Amino acid sequence: MAVIEQDLPGTGAGGRWVTDWRPEDREFWNRTGAKVARRNLVFSIFAEHIGFSVWSLWSVLVLFLGPEYGIDPAGKFVLTMVPTALGAVLRLPYTFAVAVFGGRRWTVISAALLLIPAILAAVLIEPGVSYGVLLAIAAVAGVGGGNFASSMANINAFYPQRLKGWALGVNAGGGNLGVAVVQLVGLAVLATAGAGNPRLVAGIYIPLIAAAALAAALRMDDLAGVRNDRRAMRDVARDAHTWIMSVLYIGTFGSFIGFGFAFGQVLQVQFAADFETPIKAAYLTFLGPLLGSLIRPVGGWAADRLGGAKVTSWTFAAMALSASVVLLASTRTSLPLFIAGFMMLFVFSGIGNGSTYKMIPAIFRAKTSVADEARRLSGALLGIAGAVGAFGGVLVNLAFRQSFLTYKTGNAAYLAFIAFYVLCFALTWVVYLRASSRRLPGV
């Protein structure tokens, strides 16, 4: 049997443990594996989605912080930066936690941890609260960023190699949608209760967090054969491809999450006359994360068929062009063109999220003929790249903060983004696409 209710050494009682898991065996997969994997994928997406919403909660809450809170735009960029940074730091330990606790059990624990930032925000945010308290609450929201890493590590173990691009893309895309949905929740609160009620946004998520934890406890499974391999982390840390892929993931996922956190503030600061009230900005902020999330599985699907490096290189070229459109719109003060350029950035970063993740297992399949070794190293690199890539969101907010402080416009930040995307395009082409005796086939 594939799923057995039993005690295993060191696990305690009452768990749902999968003790026989052979996803690469097509007969096993068709008979049993696909159904079990699909069920775990559904509830993993739900929990990860709520995690992303809590992680990006402050991209919405800063829109509510009017003059009565006494925080300038630079201070608001810091409030969106700190949860991004903590979420990035937590991604490595969260990756290891799946093997230590089991995918199901860690999903329950990590979902329950989301109650802390949600309850703190629902209780403490009001005029007169100190900036230090707001920073602390924002930082704690970073626990939502770690959920992505553990969810991806868990689902990666459930699916066969031939379906990983699709499964990881769907899992990540469903989670990424949390960025757009929390902004829709913020829009609904602004439209109904007004800008004086930021605590309602966090409060709405409290029962949803409880539902995610309960659903994971009742419907997900733990894979008994999953083990942490710290030697794999050491091995991939010495491999140049680890750091190349981390840079590329900074360009794709870092852009997605950074723009998702910053877009509403950028609109309010750069086009203040058009967005003098928070609700006007909120009408637009959810669109970019929504498009980027929905299209992420397309990046994985395209990479499965065309090759991850080829799709990734095209993506960076398109992102450089999109950032150029944003820069042009900024210099001409054209709001429609500005929004169009940013929507393009969200879409192409979403595609790149899927294609870069697909490149990682392909790299190690090309470097070793031993399937288990390739999976071992791929899993380690997924954890490192996911953690490093998330810091791109911090860099995006830092770039905006410094640009607006120094030049009163985001133009310097847009120039930096263009330069970085050109660098990523060149790096992808030189390492993975250029004809060379050292080129890795099939990446």
Side-chain angles (χ1 to χ4, degrees):
M1 293 181 65
V3 181
I4 301 177
E5 299 275 353
Q6 63 175 26
D7 293 341
L8 294 179
T11 63
R16 292 171 56 92
W17 285 94
V18 178
T19 57
D20 175 26
W21 192 249
R22 293 170 280 118
E24 302 297 343
D25 181 336
R26 287 182 181 263
E27 182 182 350
F28 172 86
W29 179 257
N30 293 333
R31 184 182 70 251
T32 305
K35 180 180 178 181
V36 174
R38 190 162 48 246
R39 172 163 45 79
N40 280 271
L41 176 61
V42 167
F43 291 101
S44 172
I45 289 172
F46 180 36
E48 186 196 348
H49 176 95
I50 300 300
F52 259 97
S53 290
V54 172
W55 190 25
S56 52
L57 187 63
W58 282 85
S59 69
V60 175
L61 293 180
V62 292
L63 300 179
F64 287 80
L65 304 181
E68 66 273 22
Y69 287 86
I71 305 171
D72 63 11
K76 292 182 181 181
F77 277 117
V78 173
L79 285 173
T80 57
M81 201 158 41
V82 289
T84 316
L86 182 63
V89 170
L90 289 177
R91 284 189 165 199
L92 274 180
Y94 269 55
T95 299
F96 285 123
V98 170
V100 174
F101 296 93
R104 165 183 158 273
R105 292 177 185 225
W106 182 249
T107 302
V108 174
I109 294 169
S110 60
L113 287 173
L114 300 173
L115 287 169
I116 298 172
I119 291 173
L120 287 175
V123 171
L124 297 178
I125 298 178
E126 61 183 0
V129 65
S130 72
Y131 185 66
V133 170
L134 292 177
L135 273 177
I137 300 171
V140 176
V143 296
N147 287 26
F148 172 84
S150 54
S151 179
M152 294 294 273
N154 189 38
I155 294 305
N156 184 59
F158 272 98
Y159 275 82
Q161 192 63 46
R162 67 186 183 277
L163 296 177
K164 284 186 190 293
W166 172 85
L168 293 175
V170 170
N171 187 58
N176 291 171
L177 274 171
V179 182
V181 171
V182 74
Q183 291 173 355
L184 282 171
V185 170
L187 174 60
V189 171
L190 282 168
T192 56
N197 294 279
R199 296 189 294 183
L200 282 178
V201 181
I204 287 169
Y205 274 91
I206 293 173
L208 295 174
I209 293 167
L214 181 62
L218 297 177
R219 299 296 295 155
M220 291 184 71
D221 305 291
D222 295 297
L223 291 181
V226 176
R227 297 288 183 268
N228 276 328
D229 188 344
R230 289 176 174 81
R231 187 169 64 85
M233 284 287 183
R234 291 196 298 270
D235 290 344
V236 297
R238 299 188 187 105
D239 193 313
H241 291 286
T242 297
W243 306 110
I244 293 169
M245 291 307 304
S246 295
V247 169
L248 299 184
Y249 203 54
I250 286 173
T252 56
F253 180 76
S255 295
F256 171 83
I257 198 65
F259 295 147
F261 275 62
F263 186 44
Q265 294 179 77
V266 171
L267 287 175
Q268 282 195 306
V269 176
Q270 186 139 2
F271 293 90
D274 296 286
F275 298 99
E276 70 275 8
T277 63
I279 193 168
K280 289 186 177 181
Y283 275 122
L284 290 171
T285 53
F286 75 93
L287 284 174
L290 178 64
L291 293 172
S293 302
L294 291 175
I295 206 163
R296 178 166 183 158
V298 175
W301 172 86
D304 283 339
R305 284 151 182 78
L306 303 174
K310 187 178 293 186
V311 174
T312 298
S313 66
W314 293 344
T315 295
F316 281 122
M319 290 178 72
L321 176 62
S322 303
S324 299
V325 171
V326 172
L327 177 60
L328 176 65
S330 178
T331 58
R332 295 189 176 184
T333 321
S334 172
L335 180 59
L337 189 61
F338 188 84
I339 293 170
F342 253 105
M343 293 305 107
M344 291 165 61
L345 277 172
F346 276 111
V347 166
F348 290 119
S349 67
I351 292 173
N353 284 341
S355 64
T356 49
Y357 245 62
K358 180 59 180 177
M359 287 174 68
I360 290 172
I363 287 170
F364 291 107
R365 284 203 312 275
K367 294 185 71 171
T368 177
S369 59
V370 181
D372 288 343
E373 178 72 357
R375 280 194 294 272
R376 182 180 78 90
L377 297 174
S378 296
L381 178 47
L382 285 169
I384 292 176
V388 175
F391 274 105
V394 180
L395 297 177
V396 166
N397 280 272
L398 272 174
F400 277 127
R401 180 180 184 274
Q402 194 58 43
S403 184
F404 283 116
L405 274 176
T406 306
Y407 304 107
K408 310 304 179 186
T409 177
N411 292 353
Y414 309 138
L415 283 169
F417 301 150
I418 293 167
F420 186 70
Y421 299 146
V422 170
L423 171 66
C424 289
F425 170 82
L427 193 59
T428 307
W429 182 80
V430 169
V431 178
Y432 299 112
L433 293 174
R434 182 181 55 142
S436 166
S437 60
R438 301 179 64 181
R439 178 182 170 185
L440 298 175
V443 176

